[in-house]
Amino acid sequence: MLTELRIRDFAIIEELDLRLGPGFVVFTGETGAGKSIIIDAVELLLGGRAESTFIRSGADTAQIEGTFALERAIRQPVLEILDRESLLDDEEQLLLGREIRREGRNICRINGRTVSLALLSEIGQWLVDVHGQSEHLSLLRVRKHLNLLDRYAEVEAVLEAYLQDYRELQDLRRSLEDLRSEERELARRADFLRFQIDEVQAAKLKPGEDETLREERTRLTNAEQLAQGSEQALAGLTGSHGERISAKDALGRVVDALRSLAKIDPSTQELAASAQGLEDQVSDLTRSIRAYRENIEFNPRRLDEVEERLSMISSLKRKYGDTIEAVLNQTDAAAEELEKIEHAEERMGELLAREEELLEGLGALGKQLSELRRSAGSRLQAAIETELEDLRMSGAKFGLDMKWKRDPDGAQIDGERYALGPAGLDRIEFLVEPNPGEGLKPLARIASGGETSRLMLGMKSVLARADHTPTLIFDEIDQGIGGRVGAIVGKKLWGLTANHQVLCITHLPQLAAFGDEHFRVEKKLHDGRTVTVVTSLAQEERVRELATMLGGESAPNLESAAELLLKAGQEKQPAVA
């Protein structure tokens, strides 16, 4: 809802500060007083085209600012845009600004920060509909027609079920596209993995094998030296190679001597036992050295085999891991990855089957949505045409253009395929025939003017609860209608205030009488220059203003004006059950 409007040096407006409340707000005044200039300023605030000719003579810039209370119905989408652009200051209200400079530049602001014109327009379309010579009218935006019809038809439950399947379809198709685009790369990857797995498996690696082989290589390389050393050790123990006495024989003599002592002095028995133990250990050591010596082989062929094996293990470790264990783990991981790749085709088949299930289900839900929309469209057509009759447009017609488009990749219905989107299969556009014999034409192409404003009013009256735009502005709505119809229009405009703030410029006192708030717009001379002045009227001032609109402040006109206000007030009272 527009709560404040501030205008500086715009056209003939020098300075204007308006505080606007909810309900039905009317602006009256003589032609040329500046009423439509106020609407022009609002349009600029919503992202309309700016020209330096709008700047008041003698000024360098024109400034327009508007404060909007964010209604619950539009708060979420507006806050999402503000949050996306890092412009969110207050979740309850929003400040828009526009500055036009004489050199041609113009500056757009949201919450005090400079933004692009496109962003200002994106925000503005959620806030206000201007019914008149305006491109800000939401009913003229075809993309909104389906959304309005759905809210009128109350198809939320079916639409949510459809949307859930549609989102799954989109996710599934992205997965399929990923699989298809990666198919060639996956084939190359699979070849590499198979080579890796085959290479490692053919090697038949064992954990710790490289350490064992290195030890064996050391023995094979140093076999002669090891044999000589072991021979020397045996010689020392057994007395071979010309030794006069061996360590074993010398230790045997020690054992015999200590046994003799133990027979005489039992206290030396432990010494004899220790000597016996050493003799046994020497015997074991001799056997071990002899066995070691016997296993030492001079085998160049085996050395070559060990070297070759170690070289192969080193190569595998360079490719796949620092250790044999790491190589084996990497190969296990490669086997798992290969299995997934080899199942990609199977996965693609599963996805294609699920895609077909979803397309069939979406076809059924889309068809159900279309049937609900057609039924609601018939009710909407009848209701709008009834409203138009009340507005003395009995020849006007309203219709819906509802189409499906064939698409080989679309939803399946009775063996045919139709294009689908997030809201179903339907392409919907509102059609109107303002005058008999012209034929139904797209609403977006009809001419502007009072007749169009009445047409929009009739549609808004029916779609009021479905249309979430908080503020509606009607300009030129009373062109070509008389006082009797003006009262009907006034009541209908006031009726919209249950869901909207409504601002209206009018020349009809019968219409203006229904206003909850009344502003008089007039031109005055200030320091020799013409300026627009806007005054909020109290009850007595309203009577005089309506009398002036009836022809002058004569006693009969004043009485008629008071009667208009009284009658409008009675019409606005809720019906008593």
Side-chain angles (χ1 to χ4, degrees), residues 90-128:
D90 188 333
E91 295 188 359
E92 300 290 329
Q93 71 173 20
L94 174 68
L95 178 64
L96 301 186
R98 191 83 180 267
E99 181 178 312
I100 309 166
R101 298 183 177 181
R102 192 166 293 281
E103 69 268 20
R105 286 188 61 210
N106 73 94
I107 299 173
C108 306
R109 292 188 178 92
I110 296 177
N111 286 336
R113 270 97 81 188
T114 302
V115 300
S116 67
L117 179 61
L119 181 58
L120 187 69
S121 299
E122 184 182 1
I123 288 283
Q125 70 177 349
W126 289 97
L127 304 174
V128 181

Side-chain angles (χ1 to χ4, degrees), residues 358-414:
L358 287 170
L359 289 172
E360 188 172 342
L362 286 166
L365 288 169
K367 185 177 181 181
Q368 185 180 355
L369 275 172
S370 291
E371 291 169 352
L372 291 171
R373 287 165 177 161
R374 287 187 186 279
S375 176
S378 298
R379 299 195 305 273
L380 180 63
Q381 176 182 348
I384 288 176
E385 289 179 357
T386 298
E387 290 287 328
L388 295 178
E389 286 183 14
D390 292 343
L391 295 170
R392 298 300 185 267
M393 294 181 68
S394 57
K397 300 294 182 184
F398 175 84
L400 284 175
D401 181 23
M402 184 180 294
K403 296 177 181 176
W404 290 357
K405 182 180 178 182
R406 293 187 183 276
D407 183 345
D409 297 321
Q412 180 174 309
I413 301 176
D414 300 329

Side-chain angles (χ1 to χ4, degrees), residues 330-537:
Q330 174 64 25
T331 304
D332 290 341
E336 291 181 9
E337 184 180 353
L338 180 60
E339 184 178 5
K340 290 180 181 178
I341 293 174
E342 289 175 340
H343 284 82
E345 187 173 337
E346 179 181 337
R347 172 63 176 158
M348 184 176 289
E350 292 172 357
L351 290 177
L352 288 170
R354 178 57 181 159
E355 180 186 33
E356 201 56 37
E357 290 177 10
L358 287 170
L359 289 172
E360 188 172 342
L362 286 166
L365 288 169
K367 185 177 181 181
Q368 185 180 355
L369 275 172
S370 291
E371 291 169 352
L372 291 171
R373 287 165 177 161
R374 287 187 186 279
S375 176
S378 298
R379 299 195 305 273
L380 180 63
Q381 176 182 348
I384 288 176
E385 289 179 357
T386 298
E387 290 287 328
L388 295 178
E389 286 183 14
D390 292 343
L391 295 170
R392 298 300 185 267
M393 294 181 68
S394 57
K397 300 294 182 184
F398 175 84
L400 284 175
D401 181 23
M402 184 180 294
K403 296 177 181 176
W404 290 357
K405 182 180 178 182
R406 293 187 183 276
D407 183 345
D409 297 321
Q412 180 174 309
I413 301 176
D414 300 329
E416 298 290 342
R417 300 277 185 174
Y418 298 95
L420 72 169
L425 313 177
D426 302 307
R427 272 63 176 166
I428 287 178
E429 184 172 5
F430 292 164
L431 306 175
V432 293
E433 183 183 22
N435 302 297
E438 294 181 355
L440 289 168
K441 298 176 182 177
L443 177 63
R445 298 181 189 174
I446 64 173
S448 300
E451 187 177 67
T452 299
S453 293
R454 276 184 285 152
L455 175 62
M456 296 303 174
L457 173 59
M459 296 177 66
K460 286 285 187 182
S461 297
V462 177
L463 292 168
R465 283 182 294 178
D467 185 2
H468 292 164
T469 310
T471 298
L472 310 179
I473 299 178
F474 288 87
D475 189 14
E476 302 180 350
I477 196 169
D478 52 12
Q479 284 187 3
I481 62 174
R484 184 179 177 186
V485 178
I488 296 172
V489 172
K491 185 176 181 180
K492 289 186 180 296
L493 286 169
W494 175 81
L496 293 175
T497 60
N499 303 95
H500 308 274
Q501 177 194 45
V502 180
L503 280 58
C504 179
I505 291 174
T506 182
H507 295 280
L508 287 176
Q510 294 85 353
L511 191 160
F514 280 87
D516 298 315
E517 190 172 11
H518 190 154
F519 290 95
R520 181 176 61 231
V521 183
E522 55 189 330
K523 289 192 294 187
K524 290 186 176 181
L525 281 176
H526 178 67
D527 293 335
R529 296 191 61 181
T530 301
V531 295
T532 294
V533 177
V534 181
T535 307
S536 178
L537 304 180

Side-chain angles (χ1 to χ4, degrees), residues 539-554:
Q539 184 70 9
E540 291 184 5
E541 295 171 308
R542 289 191 72 186
V543 173
R544 288 197 296 271
E545 176 70 7
L546 294 180
T548 300
M549 296 170 72
L550 286 167
E553 291 188 31
S554 64

